[in-house]
Structure formats: structure tokens, C-alpha cells
């Protein structure tokens, strides 16, 4: 046997390998052209219909809890943009995908390859068809940006970019937790859906509409309000609720990665369990 | 190459509901010890659920054993996974490691990056395997469109591209026709001889074992029942050879002194014996006029089945 | 080919409809829905959470307004409860069962059975829908009544007509779902077509927002489609927004669309089966 030690693999190599794995996914998906085109359009239509319904009814009411269409579009678009980017990147950890890999045995195949496990899972379920949703979400954000009464500064842009980054990490963390739970039980999948998809819908609208205790729960217990609601409030020049200071609007890039780091710690526990039971 | 000492693996299973269910400990592997030398081919046999796949999972680093010592090529499989699995090749008959919708060539290309095979070495190996396994006609075909035999050949190539020292073959010929089976056996024999690859083979097809393995290990109910070569197994536990004699006419008395009578049906009489056939034949032909004589060899499959069923032996000899 | 012969041969028998068989199919399918209590529990929780978010959005839209487009805030809460209650029964998130049967080729064995294919599937779906409504729907409505208060239909006549309308909405939706699933006879990519159809249905049947809130032009456009009959009509009857002879008109429209779509479903099925036979299914 060779004598080479197990030095950490160079980051550049891992990145290249990740993109090679994504490339394989993309080529595989493009084999079925019609199915791909239909799926891509349908993916956008599902989100599109939901927002369209909101846009169509808003004129009858004038505003949503004091928020104009443009302002809601900014909030809604940012949440959707972050969620779909996350969905693209973390698809391999999504509970249904991961449990399918475990059941089919391809998860053991990952373990038999000399590459860090997360790189392989990240590279395993890249749903290219969701790109249409990215475009749609970006369009909604752009509409929002054009309609709100804000003198845009570099700080605002950085704040919102950080907000998206934080949301990607936050929801990515939820996906990792959900996927890890399937090492124990598959029944937990629907429970995680409340957190992931429910959380996404929750932060798509201004938190002020949910009533005091719900808003406080999602500020201090589950820090979802920091993700996009506070940054957008700040950009719109409105004070944060509950007497929170202005800098709290910039915490999204901290909150998200913290959850993600905790999620990966849990992931390692799950993988250790897999090594104990083999299923 | 492989050293296993006192390997135990037990699982907790729960029957019934999550809360009220009964916890039970199932011992999948009990006190299994063996060594495999470099370049050996070992057939690992046992009925389903005997502990075969648990052993393989431990040896490939997928499972951490409850207790016992395992070292493969100086490494502990479940520690430092990446370093260890880089030296392994594995083929599982039931599933493929190829990318389902990609041409075989692209899958192999990707695996080159996964295992970081030097470009020259990759080219050499691909050329050699393409010739040996006749991959040429379907290198451009997606894995999903391959026949089972083609897929298995492609998977074998994929498992060996990075020059592993150790190859795990799990049911490599299951579901294949006779020609395809033979081709795969020849390839494995070749790789073992030319590249000194150690092979651990689990299979239900005893022809695989007879053609490839000088040594077999039999496991059942988690314990190793036999570890040795195939002819010895036969000599020790096989049923006797049989001599079928067609006499010119039904003999008045089919019994022959010195031969054990098995059955008698008109002119055809069957005797059992052990060892060489010359003396029994001489005895029979001296007994009465004979038209024809055949020697029937005992069936290995039947022998092994009898080992499983009857527990012919206690533990490892 | 054999399937064709058998189908024609057995058509005679199928005509003498065996009502007991369809009842049995419905009953079996009904019972099957009770097999997964854990999934039902989590499903309810998810449903309730999303429902709460929708209620919050609707109430925030109302703000201090007492009434918009004939809806009071209390109506809007009841509307949300009803749509969330019908969600599972009407398969508003999609239904791919028939598609799967066609794509996997299992349809051939089903065709060998001596009964009407469409009728058998409809009976099965009726059993499933009824079970889902009792299991999830009634639970959700009860929870809404406790949490936010629920408006109920008025009097025995109100209940009777509303339930009749709910039945028609299910039948109309079933025919539409069956029709969409029929795409599987022609295309291996029917799942994508299905996703389109369900997204459209969600918007146009009044699941995402009450149709009354939409701009007038959009409402009159939708009035020419069968989609309002698949849910919105029932909601309006329940809320008492339709009264007098208008009730009969709404029910009539629902029944008419149901018949039209069922007819189309039969036609598509016949065409699809012929295609299956030509392809050697």
C-alpha cells in the first residue's frame, strides 16, 4: 500500500470537483429536454401564481398593514430569491432526496469515495429547472426596488446582499437538519416542512401583520425576523420594533451562518449514527 | 492484507411503536476472526442474513463494529475514511456507481477526478480495461441504457481505475447469462494475477467460487463456520462419490462385498465409495457382466447447503 | 391488442353497472386513508400553520375596513378555513395517480377487469376524498371555529345545498384531474403538464385568494372557465353570498361543467386507450 498520508485536500481541487459533479447533474437533466422545459416553466408558474394572486387583489385593499405593493414585493422577492438559491445549492440535503440516497444505497457509494461527504451531497441533487424561479424572484426584487421610495446607498445594497446570504445559510441549515433527521426517522420530514417552507412563507410578508406574540417568538426565540424583515425595515428608513437598535438590522449574515454551523455539527452526529447502524 | 480479530457487531432493533416498542439486540456478527494475505481471492459464502454483508460493511468502513480489531493494509477502515477508501474498489451487483444518465466514458472521467488518478495512469488503465472487458462498443452509452452484463463490466472498470489494492465483489454475476458470467470471472482472475489485487467475493453462484477462489469462508448466524479451501471442504463434509453400474442383466444379488449399496433398480445399481474409483470399478465388474459404468461426483452446492442446514461443524476448524 | 378485445367484450357487462362494486372500491379507498396517523398529524399541523399565515395576511389586508367585495374579515377567516379544509379532499396540490398507472404499465391489468375504468377511478377518488374531508377537513374546520370563529351555512336548506355544491366541486375537480392525467397516454413528461395545471387551478378556483377580490376583468374571464366550480362556488354558498334562485344557477353551472368535463374525460380515455393499443400496451 502507498504511503501517502491523508493531507487535507486542496480547496481548489474540491471546488473543481464540486463543479464537475454539478456539471454531471446538469448534463443528466438536459437529456430529457421536454420534461426539463416543462418542469422549469411549471416551477416558475407555481411561485408566480402565488405572487400574482397577491398582486391582483392588493388594489382592492390599498395596502398590506401599511406596506405598499413595492415594499411587499421587495420583502417577498428577497425571501423567494434566497430560498430558491438555497434550494439549488442545498438540494442534496433536502430530506426526501437524502433519504432516497440512503435507501437506494448511493449514500454508501458516497462513503466509498475518497472525497469529503458534504462535497458529494452538495453535488448530488442540483435541480437546474429552479433557475426560472431565480429569474422570477430577481424580477420581483427588481420591481420592488424600482417602486420603493429609497435613495439607495452602497450600505443599503450591502445590507440586502447580506440579508440574502444570511437567509441562504439559515434555510440551508434547516435543510441540513431535516436531511440529518432522516438518519433516524422519515416521519419527521413533514414536521421539518413546517419550519422550512413555513418559515419561507412567514418571512415573505411584513412581520407586523402576525400580532405581537408571534412576532416576538420569531424575533427572540427563532430569530427569523433578523433575516430579511429588519434589513428591509432599515432600508425603508423605518425603526425596528421592540426598541431594537439599528445595527440589529445587519445581523442576518451572522444569524444564518450560526444556524448552518450548528446544523453541520448535528449532521456529523447523524453520519456517526449511520456508521453505527448502516441504514 | 486483511486482519480481523474477534469481530462483533450487534444492532438495536425496535419492534412495535416508537415509544412502547420492545428493544432487542441482534448479534449480526459474533466473534469472527480471519486473515487474508495479499493477492488472495477469497469466496465469502453464507445464506442471506448470515452476517456476510455486515462483515463487508465493516471492512469497507461503512459500519463501525461493536468490538474487535480490524486492520486492512495497516489501516483501520472506519478511521480516516478518505485515506482508506482511496485504496478500495467495490462492485455491488445490485446497484451501479455510474451516473445513470451519463455516457459510461463521462462517468469514468468523473471518477478519475474523484480518485485523483494521474492522467497517464488513467489512460493506460482505461485502455487495458477497454480491451479486456470489451467496453468499446458502449463507452458512449448512458448507464441506464446498458444491459446488465455491460453495466457490470463498466462498473468493474470503474472500481479498478484507481489501482486499488483490495477489491470487494458483491454478487458480481447475479442475473447474468452464462457467457457474461464467464467473461467477468476471466477478468477478475486476470486482474488478480496481473495486478496482485486482493479480492473478497460474496456470491451465491458457486461456479464463481470454484473458478476464482482457492479459499472459502462460510458464515451463518453471524459465526464463521468454515475457513479453508474448497477441495478440503468437499473431502471433509461432502457426500461420498457414487458409482452407477449398468449390469448386462439385473443381478440376482446387487450387494457387492466391500461396496456400500445405495439403490438398485433393475440392471442399474448405485454404490457409494470414497477415494479413488479404480477398486470399486474392479469389484463391480468382477461381480457380474457389466455394460456401462459412471462415476457421479458429489455436488458442492448440496454440501454447503447441508452445512447451513445441519450445522455439520461447530466453529472454525 | 388483447386489452382492446377484452374491453369491447366486457363493455356489455360494464353497462349493467355493478353498484356494489363501486361502493366497495370507494369504501376500500376510504379506509386506506386512515392507515397513516403520523402523516395525518404532521399534515394537519402544517396545514394549520400555513392557514394561520394566510389568515394573518388576509386580516392585514382588511385592516380597519369592515367589508371588501362582499367579504367581512370573519368571512375571510371562514374562507381560509374552508380552502384549507378542502385542500386534501380536492387534491388541490396535485394528483398523479392515474399518470403513474399509465407510465408504469399497470393500466393494462386494470383494463382486464370487467368494469368501467372511469367509474371505478371515480369511486375510488370519492372514497379517498370523503375520508380526507372527515379526517383533515372537519378537524381543521373545528380548529378554526375554536381559534378564530367560523361562519356556518344557514338552516337545513343552506347546509344541504352547500354540501351538494361541495360534492359537485369534488366531481368537477376530479374530472379535471382525470383529464390532465390523461396526458400520460401521449407524453412521458405528463408530470410537467400536471404541475402547470395544478398551479393554474390553484389560482383560478379560488384557493390562493377569494375570486371576488380579483379585478373585474379577471373575474369575468374566469367565469367562462370550469375552475370556479371546483371550489369558489361552494365557498360562496357556504358564506351565504349567493341567495335565492342564484343558488340554483350556481349549482346548475357546477353540474353542467362536471358533465362536460366528465364527457371530455371519457373521450380522452377512449382515445388514450386506443393509442395504448396501437403502441402495443
Amino acid at each position: 500500500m502507498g504511503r501517502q498520508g491523508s493531507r487535507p485536500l486542496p480547496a481548489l481541487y474540491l471546488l473543481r470537483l464540486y463543479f464537475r459533479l454539478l456539471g454531471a447533474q446538469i448534463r443528466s437533466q438536459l437529456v430529457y429536454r421536454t420534461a426539463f422545459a416543462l418542469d422549469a416553466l411549471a416551477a416558475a408558474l407555481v411561485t408566480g401564481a402565488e405572487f400574482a394572486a397577491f398582486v391582483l387583489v392588493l388594489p382592492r385593499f390599498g395596502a398590506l398593514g401599511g406596506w405598499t405593493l413595492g415594499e411587499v414585493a421587495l420583502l417577498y422577492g428577497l425571501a423567494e430569491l434566497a430560498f430558491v438559491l438555497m434550494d439549488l445549492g442545498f438540494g442534496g440535503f433536502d430530506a426526501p432526496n437524502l433519504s432516497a440516497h440512503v435507501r437506494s444505497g448511493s449514500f454508501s457509494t458516497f462513503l466509498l469515495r475518497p472525497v469529503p461527504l458534504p462535497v458529494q451531497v452538495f453535488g448530488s441533487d442540483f435541480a437546474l429547472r429552479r433557475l426560472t424561479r431565480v429569474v422570477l424572484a430577481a424580477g420581483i426584487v427588481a420591481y420592488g426596488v424600482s417602486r420603493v421610495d429609497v435613495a439607495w446607498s452602497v450600505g443599503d445594497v450591502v445590507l440586502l446582499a447580506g440579508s440574502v446570504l444570511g437567509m441562504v445559510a439559515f434555510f440551508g441549515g434547516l435543510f441540513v437538519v431535516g436531511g440529518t433527521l432522516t438518519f433516524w426517522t422519515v416521519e419527521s420530514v413533514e414536521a421539518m416542512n413546517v419550519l422550512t417552507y413555513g418559515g419561507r412563507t412567514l418571512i415573505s410578508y411584513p412581520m407586523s401583520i402576525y400580532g405581537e406574540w408571534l412576532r416576538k417568538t420569531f424575533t427572540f426565540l427563532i430569530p427569523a425576523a433578523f433575516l430579511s424583515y429588519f434589513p428591509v425595515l432599515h432600508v425603508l428608513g423605518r425603526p425596528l420594533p421592540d426598541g431594537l437598535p439599528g445595527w440589529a438590522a445587519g445581523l442576518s449574515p451572522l444569524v444564518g451562518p450560526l444556524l448552518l454551523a450548528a446544523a453541520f455539527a448535528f449532521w456529523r452526529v447523524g453520519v456517526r449514527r449511520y456508521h453505527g447502524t448502516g441504514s | 492484507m486483511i486482519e480481523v480479530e474477534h469481530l462483533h457487531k450487534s444492532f438495536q432493533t425496535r419492534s412495535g411503536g416508537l415509544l412502547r416498542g420492545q428493544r432487542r439486540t441482534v448479534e449480526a456478527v459474533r466473534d469472527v476472526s480471519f486473515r487474508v494475505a495479499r493477492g488472495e481471492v477469497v469466496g465469502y459464502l453464507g445464506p442471506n442474513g448470515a452476517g456476510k454483508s455486515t462483515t463487508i460493511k465493516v471492512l469497507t468502513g461503512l459500519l463501525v463494529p461493536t468490538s474487535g480489531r480490524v486492520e486492512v493494509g495497516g489501516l483501520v477502515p472506519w478511521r480516516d475514511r478518505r485515506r482508506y477508501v482511496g485504496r478500495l474498489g467495490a462492485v455491488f451487483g445490485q446497484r451501479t456507481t455510474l451516473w445513470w444518465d451519463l455516457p459510461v466514458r463521462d462517468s469514468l472521467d468523473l471518477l478519475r477526478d474523484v480518485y485523483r488518478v494521474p492522467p497517464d495512469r488513467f489512460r493506460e488503465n482505461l485502455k487495458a480495461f477497454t480491451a479486456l472487458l470489451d467496453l468499446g462498443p458502449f463507452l458512449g452509452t448512458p448507464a441506464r441504457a446498458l444491459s446488465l452484463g455491460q453495466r457490470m463490466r463498466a462498473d468493474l472498470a470503474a472500481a479498478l481505475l484507481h489501482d486499488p489494492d483490495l477489491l470487494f465483489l458483491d454478487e458480481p454475476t447475479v442475473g447474468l447469462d452464462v457467457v457474461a458470467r464467464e467473461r467477468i470471472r476471466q477478468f477478475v482472475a486476470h486482474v488478480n494475477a496481473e495486478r496482485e489485487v486482493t479480492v473478497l467475493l460474496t456470491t451465491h453462484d458457486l461456479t464463481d467460487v470454484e473458478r476464482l477462489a482457492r479459499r472459502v469462508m462460510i458464515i451463518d448466524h453471524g459465526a464463521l463456520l468454515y475457513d479453508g479451501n474448497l477441495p478440503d471442504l468437499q473431502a471433509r463434509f461432502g457426500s461420498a462419490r457414487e458409482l452407477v453400474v449398468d449390469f448386462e442383466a439385473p443381478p440376482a444379488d446387487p450387494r457387492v462385498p466391500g461396496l456400500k449399496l445405495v439403490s438398485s433398480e433393475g440392471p442399474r445399481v448405485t454404490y457409494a465409495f470414497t477415494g479413488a474409483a479404480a477398486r470399486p470399478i474392479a469389484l463391480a465388474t468382477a461381480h457380474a457382466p457389466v455394460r456401462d459404468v459412471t462415476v457421479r461426483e458429489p455436488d458442492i452446492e448440496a454440501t454447503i447447503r447441508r452445512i447451513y442446514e445441519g450445522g455439520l461443524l461447530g466453529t472454525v476448524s | 391488442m388483447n386489452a382492446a378485445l377484452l374491453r369491447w367484450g366486457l363493455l356489455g357487462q360494464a353497462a349493467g353497472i355493478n353498484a356494489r362494486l363501486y361502493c366497495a372500491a370507494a369504501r376500500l379507498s376510504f379506509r386506506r386513508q386512515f392507515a397513516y396517523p403520523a402523516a395525518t398529524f404532521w399534515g394537519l399541523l402544517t396545514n394549520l400553520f400555513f392557514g394561520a399565515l394566510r389568515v394573518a395576511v388576509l386580516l392585514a389586508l382588511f385592516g380597519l375596513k369592515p367589508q371588501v367585495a362582499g367579504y367581512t374579515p370573519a368571512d375571510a377567516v371562514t374562507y381560509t378555513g374552508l380552502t384549507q379544509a378542502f385542500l386534501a379532499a380536492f387534491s388541490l396540490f396535485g394528483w398523479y395517480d392515474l399518470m403513474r398507472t399509465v407510465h408504469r404499465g399497470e393500466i393494462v391489468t386494470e383494463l382486464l377487469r370487467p368494469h368501467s375504468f372511469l367509474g371505478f377511478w371515480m369511486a375510488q377518488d370519492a372514497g379517498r376524498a370523503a375520508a380526507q374531508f372527515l379526517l383533515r377537513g372537519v378537524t381543521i374546520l373545528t380548529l378554526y371555529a375554536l381559534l378564530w370563529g367560523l361562519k356556518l351555512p344557514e338552516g337545513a336548506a343552506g347546509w344541504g345545498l352547500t354540501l351538494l355544491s361541495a360534492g359537485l366541486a369534488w366531481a368537477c375537480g376530479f374530472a379535471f384531474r382525470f383529464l390532465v392525467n390523461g396526458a400520460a397516454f401521449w407524453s412521458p413528461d405528463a408530470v410537467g403538464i400536471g404541475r402547470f395545471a395544478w398551479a393554474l387551478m390553484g389560482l383560478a378556483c379560488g384557493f390562493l385568494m377569494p375570486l371576488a377580490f380579483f379585478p373585474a376583468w379577471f373575474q369575468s374571464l374566469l367565469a367562462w372557465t370550469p375552475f370556479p366550480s371546483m371550489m369558489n362556488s361552494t365557498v360562496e354558498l357556504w358564506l351565504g353570498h349567493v341567495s335565492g334562485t342564484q343558488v340554483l344557477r350556481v349549482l346548475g353551472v357546477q353540474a353542467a361543467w362536471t358533465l362536460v368535463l366528465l364527457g371530455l374525460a371519457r373521450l380522452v380515455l377512449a382515445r388514450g386507450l386506443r393509442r395504448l393499443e396501437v403502441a402495443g400496451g
Side-chain angles (χ1 to χ4, degrees):
Chain A
M1 288 230 165
R3 296 231 164 265
Q4 104 197 51
S6 86
R7 291 167 262 121
L9 295 167
L12 211 64
Y13 160 72
L14 291 180
L15 203 65
R16 199 180 96 85
L17 189 65
Y18 170 66
F19 282 112
R20 290 270 282 139
L21 292 173
L22 287 197
Q25 296 277 313
I26 291 169
R27 266 177 298 152
S28 298
Q29 286 164 35
L30 290 180
V31 170
Y32 310 95
R33 300 263 162 173
T34 331
F36 177 79
L38 276 171
D39 278 353
L41 284 171
L45 191 67
V46 174
T47 334
E50 197 187 306
F51 191 65
F54 183 78
V55 173
L56 284 171
V57 304
L58 196 64
R60 241 180 235 281
F61 296 92
L64 176 74
W67 287 54
T68 66
L69 179 59
E71 289 162 352
V72 176
L74 186 60
L75 198 57
Y76 189 99
L78 285 174
E80 170 67 8
L81 181 65
F83 194 85
V84 70
L85 284 175
M86 183 287 296
D87 215 353
L88 273 174
F90 286 78
F93 290 94
D94 195 8
N97 291 338
L98 192 70
S99 66
H101 283 309
V102 171
R103 257 180 288 119
S104 73
S106 47
F107 189 75
S108 351
T109 303
F110 293 165
L111 285 168
L112 287 173
R113 290 179 184 152
V115 174
L117 196 54
V119 174
Q120 297 187 67
V121 179
F122 270 121
S124 67
D125 284 276
F126 183 79
L128 187 67
R129 63 185 150 86
R130 303 226 164 89
L131 272 184
T132 50
R133 278 176 60 192
V134 176
V135 174
L136 187 74
I140 296 175
V141 172
Y143 174 79
V145 167
S146 72
R147 284 307 180 90
V148 292
D149 186 21
V150 171
W152 290 93
S153 71
V154 177
D156 292 337
V157 175
V158 171
L159 193 67
L160 292 189
S163 153
V164 170
L165 204 73
M167 278 191 280
V168 169
F170 186 88
F171 287 111
L174 289 184
F175 261 37
V176 172
V177 170
T180 307
L181 280 175
T182 64
F183 288 128
W184 281 270
T185 163
V186 197
E187 279 177 5
S188 57
V189 170
E190 268 220 70
M192 281 307 292
N193 281 348
V194 179
L195 284 181
T196 47
Y197 296 95
R200 192 217 79 168
T201 310
L202 178 94
I203 63 167
S204 297
Y205 300 97
M207 292 259 175
S208 51
I209 68 173
Y210 298 126
E212 176 110 355
W213 69 269
L214 205 60
R215 196 195 65 230
K216 284 194 171 153
T217 305
F218 285 102
T219 305
F220 299 108
L221 201 65
I222 305 166
F226 289 90
L227 296 174
S228 62
Y229 179 53
F230 292 167
V232 170
L233 273 183
H234 190 85
V235 167
L236 295 178
R238 296 178 195 176
L240 304 192
D242 300 318
L244 285 166
W247 54 261
L251 289 183
S252 176
L254 203 67
V255 168
L258 268 178
L259 179 80
L260 186 60
F264 269 116
F266 181 50
W267 164 258
R268 278 187 289 277
V269 175
V271 172
R272 215 171 305 136
R273 180 187 155 87
Y274 180 87
H275 279 300
T277 61
S279 60
Chain B
M1 186 77 188
I2 304 178
E3 290 174 33
V4 176
E5 280 173 18
H6 306 298
L7 176 69
H8 284 267
K9 178 69 197 177
S10 47
F11 296 102
Q12 300 274 336
T13 57
R14 242 190 280 246
S15 51
L18 196 67
L19 296 172
R20 285 160 296 159
Q22 292 268 307
R23 271 169 170 261
R24 227 157 43 88
T25 305
V26 177
E27 284 198 89
V29 174
R30 288 178 294 163
D31 197 25
V32 165
S33 304
F34 60 86
R35 278 160 183 264
V36 177
R38 189 188 174 91
E40 256 193 296
V41 181
V42 178
Y44 194 35
L45 309 178
N48 290 330
K52 247 184 328 180
S53 65
T54 303
T55 319
I56 299 292
K57 279 181 179 172
V58 169
L59 286 175
T60 49
L62 291 177
L63 267 185
V64 180
T66 312
S67 68
R69 196 180 73 88
V70 178
E71 240 181 72
V72 181
L75 292 175
V76 178
W78 56 92
R79 284 198 201 118
D80 204 355
R81 176 186 76 78
R82 289 203 331 256
R83 183 168 165 203
Y84 177 68
V85 297
R87 302 169 177 188
L88 297 186
V91 176
F92 299 96
Q94 315 287 355
R95 59 172 206 255
T96 181
T97 53
L98 304 168
W99 277 258
W100 197 238
D101 288 314
L102 291 191
V104 173
R105 188 196 306 278
D106 292 15
S107 280
L108 298 180
D109 244 16
L110 259 163
L111 287 173
R112 180 194 65 199
D113 283 350
V114 165
Y115 284 94
R116 304 220 278 170
V117 186
D120 293 348
R121 191 63 197 145
F122 177 79
R123 228 171 294 128
E124 270 169 47
N125 276 343
L126 185 59
K127 204 174 138 198
F129 296 150
T130 305
L132 284 166
L133 289 164
D134 195 18
L135 303 179
F138 54 87
L139 271 178
T141 312
R144 71 182 138 78
L146 297 179
S147 73
L148 194 59
Q150 292 174 327
R151 211 212 74 204
M152 195 58 70
R153 276 141 69 195
D155 259 315
L156 268 172
L160 288 161
L161 274 174
H162 56 288
D163 292 314
D165 305 295
L166 179 57
L167 178 64
F168 289 95
L169 292 177
D170 183 30
E171 299 286 353
T173 58
V174 72
L176 300 185
D177 64 59
V178 184
V179 181
R181 277 168 198 241
E182 196 46 36
R183 167 167 237 149
I184 286 184
R185 288 177 198 136
Q186 277 176 12
F187 176 76
V188 173
H190 176 90
V191 170
N192 170 250
E194 298 292 309
R195 297 172 176 239
E196 275 212 305
V197 177
T198 312
V199 180
L200 194 65
L201 167 74
T202 62
T203 180
H204 280 101
D205 183 351
L206 283 161
T207 321
D208 289 349
V209 180
E210 283 179 287
R211 289 271 287 99
L212 290 169
R214 263 142 291 191
R215 177 177 161 200
V216 291
M217 299 193 294
I218 300 177
I219 189 172
D220 195 14
H221 299 295
L224 210 52
L225 296 183
Y226 178 81
D227 183 354
N229 65 30
L230 212 47
D232 279 356
L233 179 78
Q234 197 63 346
R236 282 183 53 192
F237 309 107
S239 35
R241 302 171 81 186
E242 285 180 343
L243 185 69
V244 183
V245 183
D246 287 318
F247 291 103
E248 291 284 359
D253 183 2
R255 279 174 299 178
V256 175
L259 285 182
K260 192 183 165 214
L261 180 70
V262 176
S263 67
S264 164
E265 230 178 288
R268 171 167 290 193
V269 184
T270 309
Y271 303 98
F273 68 98
T274 49
R279 217 181 83 85
I281 293 174
L283 286 173
T285 42
H287 183 69
V290 164
R291 183 187 306 163
D292 196 7
V293 174
T294 32
V295 174
R296 210 186 279 153
E297 295 298 334
D299 187 5
I300 309 181
E301 213 161 333
T303 306
I304 289 178
R305 204 180 314 125
R306 278 174 50 216
I307 292 181
Y308 297 161
E309 285 167 0
L312 284 183
L313 8 77
T315 26
V316 190
S317 43
Chain C
M1 298 296 170
N2 285 337
L5 286 175
L6 268 162
R7 196 161 55 82
W8 292 121
L10 294 167
L11 209 63
Q13 287 178 32
I17 289 174
N18 187 343
R20 289 234 318 265
L21 174 75
Y22 297 119
C23 287
R27 219 174 23 243
L28 213 67
S29 169
F30 181 89
R31 275 209 227 114
R32 207 178 302 139
Q33 308 303 316
F34 292 86
Y36 310 98
T40 304
F41 172 77
W42 289 116
L44 271 175
L45 200 72
T46 312
N47 187 314
L48 205 62
F49 183 79
F50 278 93
L53 295 187
R54 294 182 62 204
V55 166
V57 170
L58 278 171
L59 291 183
L61 280 172
F62 271 93
L64 297 173
K65 296 184 189 69
Q67 200 182 39
V68 173
Y71 278 66
T72 63
D75 285 350
V77 171
T78 301
Y79 153 83
T80 312
L82 282 173
T83 53
Q84 293 291 118
F86 286 138
L87 184 54
F90 292 176
S91 299
L92 292 176
F93 280 163
W95 181 79
Y96 302 93
D97 292 10
L98 175 63
M99 252 179 222
R100 221 172 292 135
T101 311
V102 175
H103 283 155
R104 288 189 188 158
E106 291 157 4
I107 190 168
V108 178
T109 39
E110 287 206 23
L111 289 170
L112 297 179
R113 298 193 195 127
H115 50 64
S116 148
F117 186 80
L118 179 60
F120 190 75
W121 276 76
M122 196 161 173
Q124 275 189 321
D125 198 66
R128 184 200 58 77
Q132 288 296 336
F133 186 71
L134 288 179
L135 206 60
R136 302 190 184 215
V138 172
T139 318
I140 284 163
L141 289 176
T142 311
L143 287 169
Y144 271 69
L146 293 173
L147 288 169
W148 292 287
L150 199 67
K151 242 177 110 169
L152 297 174
E154 274 172 34
W159 274 105
L161 292 171
T162 306
L163 288 180
L164 177 63
S165 168
L168 285 170
W170 159 75
C172 191
F174 167 77
F176 175 69
R177 284 183 278 128
F178 193 93
L179 207 55
V180 171
N181 273 253
F185 286 112
W186 285 269
S187 164
D189 307 320
V191 174
I193 296 170
R195 288 211 186 103
F196 260 117
W198 318 138
L200 186 67
M201 179 169 75
L203 181 70
C205 78
F207 173 66
L208 294 174
M209 283 286 175
L211 297 187
F213 292 172
F214 286 137
W217 63 267
F218 196 59
Q219 286 187 54
S220 40
L221 186 75
L222 290 180
W224 290 96
T225 71
F227 296 111
S229 297
M230 295 175 198
M231 190 163 79
N232 199 66
S233 308
T234 306
V235 172
E236 300 208 318
L237 281 184
W238 181 293
L239 291 173
H241 288 186
V242 188
S243 55
T245 52
Q246 282 298 304
V247 175
L248 294 179
R249 204 186 72 91
V250 167
L251 290 173
V253 169
Q254 279 191 294
W257 273 119
T258 304
L259 287 177
V260 167
L261 290 183
L262 279 176
L264 274 174
R266 265 192 79 158
L267 195 74
V268 163
L269 181 66
R271 287 279 176 102
L273 291 181
R274 200 175 311 145
R275 194 184 141 83
L276 205 66
E277 284 144 16
V278 171

